[in-house]
Amino acid sequence: MSINCSLWQDNSMSVKHFAFVKFSEATEQCFLLFTLILFMFLVSLTGNALIVLAIWTNPALHTPMYFFLANLSLLEIGYTCSTIPKMLQNLVSEARGISREGCATQMFFFTLFGISECCLLAAMAFDRYMAICSPLHYATLMSRGVCVHLAMVSWGVGCIVGLGQTNCIFSLDFCGPCEIDHFFCDLLPILALACGDTSHNEAAVFIAAILCISSPFLLIIASYGRILAAVLVMPSPEGCQKALSTCSSHLLVVTLFYGSGSVTYLRPKASHSPGVDKLLALFYTVVTSMLNPIIYSLRNKEVKTALRRTLGKKKILTLSSYAFSIP
């Protein structure tokens, strides 16, 4: 159903409000997708929050690798919370509008968390490289101060790129149509609604994607290339297996995140289609965020042990509180 944009324009004829295209006219399909996304959203929030809590409350996990993992979980929480609540509302409500300022805010936070995650995954790969290739100097080279600085740089780069990309796109005029054929205010679907020549803005988005997605990915490849070379010359199979096991979870997360992100933002413009873009958006915003805590908890004995302890403490505290509340 077409939405009358003229109701949402001021005297300058620039669109001040947008509306998301309805996913389907079939109510059953919308409700089914709503239920599925809500389930994955709750699993993602619970899993990532538990990992942060487990790392925070267990001194044995106060190491660089788990410090970065806690930051990754915080990024995943922000990543999903910036997009999924509005996505869920659009699936079951007729009020699918969003203001220009609200759309810009959503785009900023989505870009911030996404780019920060790219950089943080590179920092995590560097940490594994230092742990395996320079074990004697690892504690000195990856001190708490160094880890904090790497995390701050990751968040800082995300913030700068988020501000730059959002300003680049929303400095344009939007004359209509105002319908966003997507689940949230992503860069390319909003840019497609702008008036006039947007080639320079598209180039800026593409260059930022190349620098902020490809550059960290190349650092990850280089780190794991050195790790593989070091592992191949290890004398004992046990040491080789242990070294690789510490990297397997991270490699799987990198594959999921970069695979979907690269296909979305680095493929040619002519190959973009709303249906494929929506499917990819669901994957890299919902599915990967849900799978990350599962991957790290199932493939890491220390995390599983810490989660059991954390959940055990919470259960004891809950039972104690209940017991004291009984008159």
Side-chain angles (χ1 to χ4, degrees):
M1 182 174 69
S2 179
I3 298 173
N4 186 4
C5 296
S6 62
L7 296 177
W8 290 344
Q9 296 176 354
D10 62 8
N11 294 330
S12 66
M13 297 303 292
S14 180
V15 171
K16 295 301 180 184
H17 286 76
F18 300 96
F20 294 96
V21 175
K22 192 171 184 179
F23 173 72
S24 173
E25 293 298 331
T27 306
E28 297 80 7
Q29 291 182 6
C30 291
F31 182 75
L32 179 62
L33 186 60
F34 172 86
T35 305
L36 182 62
I37 293 176
L38 178 61
F39 171 75
M40 291 190 290
F41 178 50
L42 294 176
V43 171
S44 174
L45 281 183
T46 304
N48 283 298
L50 282 175
I51 284 182
V52 173
L53 183 62
I55 293 172
W56 180 269
T57 57
N58 286 270
L61 299 185
H62 292 178
T63 63
M65 182 173 75
Y66 295 111
F67 170 77
F68 289 127
L69 178 56
N71 273 269
L72 180 65
S73 293
L74 288 173
L75 284 172
E76 293 288 4
I77 291 172
Y79 197 61
T80 53
C81 287
S82 66
T83 56
I84 295 180
K86 184 63 178 175
M87 190 187 302
L88 292 172
Q89 178 190 337
N90 295 335
L91 286 170
V92 295
S93 172
E94 290 299 322
R96 301 188 306 277
I98 186 171
S99 67
R100 182 177 175 134
E101 293 76 15
C103 193
T105 301
Q106 186 183 63
M107 181 183 292
F108 165 71
F109 282 108
F110 171 75
T111 307
L112 184 158
F113 293 123
I115 297 299
S116 297
E117 185 163 341
C118 289
C119 298
L120 191 69
L121 288 172
M124 294 173 77
F126 177 73
D127 170 68
R128 291 300 83 209
Y129 160 70
M130 295 302 299
I132 294 171
C133 298
S134 301
L136 298 179
H137 305 287
Y138 176 69
T140 303
L141 295 174
M142 294 300 293
S143 64
R144 181 178 179 82
V146 171
C147 294
V148 170
H149 278 95
L150 286 173
M152 288 177 64
V153 167
S154 299
W155 286 81
V157 170
C159 185
I160 292 170
V161 174
L163 284 171
Q165 293 282 63
T166 304
N167 182 67
C168 176
I169 291 176
F170 281 91
S171 61
L172 299 168
D173 286 327
F174 299 89
C175 309
C178 59
E179 294 176 297
I180 304 171
D181 195 3
H182 204 59
F183 286 121
F184 57 91
C185 293
D186 203 354
L187 300 168
L188 299 178
I190 299 300
L191 189 57
L193 301 179
C195 308
D197 181 19
T198 61
S199 57
H200 290 89
N201 304 80
E202 290 174 7
V205 170
F206 186 75
I207 291 171
I210 289 288
L211 292 175
C212 300
I213 295 177
S214 300
S215 298
F217 184 67
L218 291 175
L219 291 174
I220 293 171
I221 295 296
S223 297
Y224 277 107
R226 298 293 298 272
I227 289 172
L228 184 61
V231 167
L232 290 175
V233 298
M234 286 184 176
S236 67
E238 293 80 9
C240 177
Q241 185 177 1
K242 183 178 180 181
L244 290 176
S245 67
T246 63
C247 303
S248 59
S249 298
H250 180 256
L251 273 173
L252 189 53
V253 169
V254 167
T255 303
L256 290 171
F257 183 78
Y258 272 96
S260 56
S262 299
V263 171
T264 301
Y265 296 106
L266 299 182
R267 75 184 195 273
K269 181 181 178 181
S271 64
H272 283 267
S273 69
V276 174
D277 290 345
K278 285 181 180 181
L279 184 63
L280 288 169
L282 283 178
F283 189 83
Y284 65 74
T285 56
V286 185
V287 179
T288 57
S289 298
M290 179 191 69
L291 291 178
N292 286 356
I294 296 174
I295 291 169
Y296 275 105
S297 60
L298 290 180
R299 301 179 64 88
N300 191 303
K301 292 181 180 179
E302 292 177 316
V303 173
K304 283 193 287 187
T305 302
L307 285 172
R308 288 194 195 100
R309 289 175 181 170
T310 302
L311 292 173
K313 289 177 182 177
K314 290 180 70 176
K315 186 175 180 180
I316 291 171
L317 288 172
T318 302
L319 290 173
S320 300
S321 300
Y322 176 74
F324 281 115
S325 65
I326 297 175

